[in-house]
Amino acid sequence: MPWFKKDKKALIETTKDTTVRVPEGLWVKCPSCSQIIYNKDLQSNVHVCGKCAHHFRMTADERLRSLFDGPWEEYDSDLMSTDPLVFTDTKPYRDRLASSIKATGRRDAVVTARGLLDGILVQIAAMEYGFIGGSMGVVVGEKITRAIERALAERSAVIIVSCSGGARMMEGALSLMQMAKVSAALARLDRARLPYISVLTDPTTGGVTASFAMLGDLNIAEPKALIGFAGPRVIEQTIRQKLPDGFQRSEFLVEHGMLDVVVDRRELKATIARALRFMRADDQK
Ligand SMILES: [Zn+2]
């Protein structure tokens, strides 16, 4: 491949990245209303545009900070994929893992932690979109399952914040098995009468939607989040029908009974706390 082609591709990738994620500069332009926002203001406003309420994507760390009262205990941060299939597409999976680890400072696409949410003990799993599109491989499945098992052992609630493109294709069928594994662990949590709240953020698609993201006792979505299983083009080709406007967005899905409620991120923590108290999660001992 000639050098300039390669360079052009790299350039496109960086541009794409800065439009989707919050750049590290002092000022950020809102992709929805074009307002120029001071980065510190955005951070103190849980990454929501003060003018048009556009919800910027958050890292797993920022998510945990927005939900926990104070410091939290993180678990299994050293678990990482062994590349069981020795998979290669345009580049080896091993290299993709290495560059994602470098970019996010994380070993895989989920952070699991334990702490207090409005004084209530909870286990939270927050997915990291910056790590191979928040895709679910063996490590994501294992870490979430362990978080649920810790909740079972100490009788606490589980909250999973999804932000994912779905199963990780580089781990093939092994990543699909995680759907069954996490779902089975959630079934045990259900039998133990412990609450599970699912928070779906932009985007939540594929195998994550088809398993734990839709299994909450309460399924909460952030405004205008893309939530679905297959993409709209695939569905249109299969059913040979034009899809309606706003299809696969949170508000449409609530209207059609797929989700329980759309909650603004600035109200999310208070809403979760209220729901947990309603489900007696503060009174499990
Ligand atoms: Zn805006």
Side-chain angles (χ1 to χ4, degrees):
M1 185 189 279
W3 66 270
F4 54 88
K5 265 197 179 164
K6 211 173 172 182
D7 258 12
K8 199 176 166 200
K9 192 162 170 261
L11 186 70
I12 292 168
E13 272 174 9
T14 12
T15 340
K16 227 194 293 175
D17 219 40
T18 46
T19 51
V20 179
R21 298 180 54 199
V22 181
E24 288 184 348
L26 275 177
W27 301 91
V28 185
K29 188 174 172 184
C30 173
S32 173
C33 70
S34 303
Q35 173 90 349
I36 308 290
I37 315 164
Y38 188 42
N39 207 345
K40 279 225 171 98
D41 290 344
L42 194 62
Q43 278 171 25
S44 60
N45 203 29
V46 283
H47 297 261
V48 175
C49 172
K51 193 180 168 203
C52 74
H54 172 78
H55 283 47
F56 287 81
R57 197 166 289 151
M58 285 171 120
T59 65
D61 267 311
E62 288 161 350
R63 179 63 67 176
L64 294 177
R65 207 172 306 128
S66 75
L67 292 176
F68 282 126
D69 298 341
W72 58 85
E73 246 176 289
E74 194 188 326
Y75 292 88
D76 308 313
S77 59
D78 54 341
L79 281 191
M80 58 191 287
S81 175
T82 54
D83 185 15
L85 306 179
V86 200
F87 191 88
T88 300
D89 45 69
T90 50
K91 64 178 178 181
Y93 176 38
R94 207 162 272 272
D95 294 354
R96 280 186 201 283
L97 283 172
S99 58
S100 285
I101 290 169
K102 201 168 159 224
T104 62
R106 293 284 168 196
R107 301 278 174 93
D108 215 295
V110 73
V111 179
T112 49
R114 170 185 188 268
L116 296 175
L117 184 152
D118 200 27
I120 307 166
L121 182 65
V122 290
Q123 298 280 345
I124 302 183
M127 301 192 79
E128 174 58 67
Y129 194 77
F131 200 104
I132 319 185
S135 53
M136 171 181 57
V138 171
V139 174
V140 168
E142 180 63 20
K143 283 176 81 167
I144 294 178
T145 303
R146 288 186 189 183
I148 298 164
E149 286 170 348
R150 278 194 301 277
L152 275 163
E154 65 177 14
R155 292 200 64 77
S156 64
V158 174
I159 297 158
I160 303 177
V161 186
S162 298
C163 186
S164 170
R168 188 172 298 169
M169 62 161 200
M170 300 85 164
E171 292 184 17
L174 293 167
S175 70
L176 297 181
M177 290 172 193
Q178 306 312 308
M179 296 166 66
K181 184 164 87 180
V182 176
S183 301
L186 285 172
R188 276 184 283 148
L189 192 78
D190 188 55
R191 281 198 291 275
R193 298 187 154 273
L194 292 166
Y196 162 44
I197 294 180
S198 173
V199 180
L200 298 91
T201 74
D202 183 63
T204 298
T205 57
V208 169
T209 306
S211 60
F212 57 84
M214 288 290 186
L215 290 176
D217 295 310
L218 188 64
N219 296 326
I220 302 175
E222 287 196 333
K224 296 191 182 120
L226 172 72
I227 297 162
F229 179 61
R233 204 164 37 111
V234 175
I235 300 173
E236 277 183 353
Q237 281 167 3
T238 310
I239 63 170
R240 292 165 202 276
Q241 277 182 45
K242 188 96 189 82
L243 294 167
D245 283 343
F247 178 72
Q248 291 186 324
R249 293 283 161 190
S250 319
E251 294 73 9
F252 183 93
L253 295 170
V254 168
E255 248 170 64
H256 292 80
M258 289 289 285
L259 298 169
D260 295 310
V261 64
V262 175
V263 177
D264 187 294
R265 192 183 287 156
R266 292 164 287 188
E267 306 293 326
L268 187 60
K269 183 176 172 177
T271 305
I272 292 174
R274 212 162 45 241
L276 288 176
R277 290 213 160 79
F278 178 77
M279 297 187 230
R280 304 288 298 272
D282 54 336
D283 188 24
Q284 283 295 335
K285 290 282 142 53

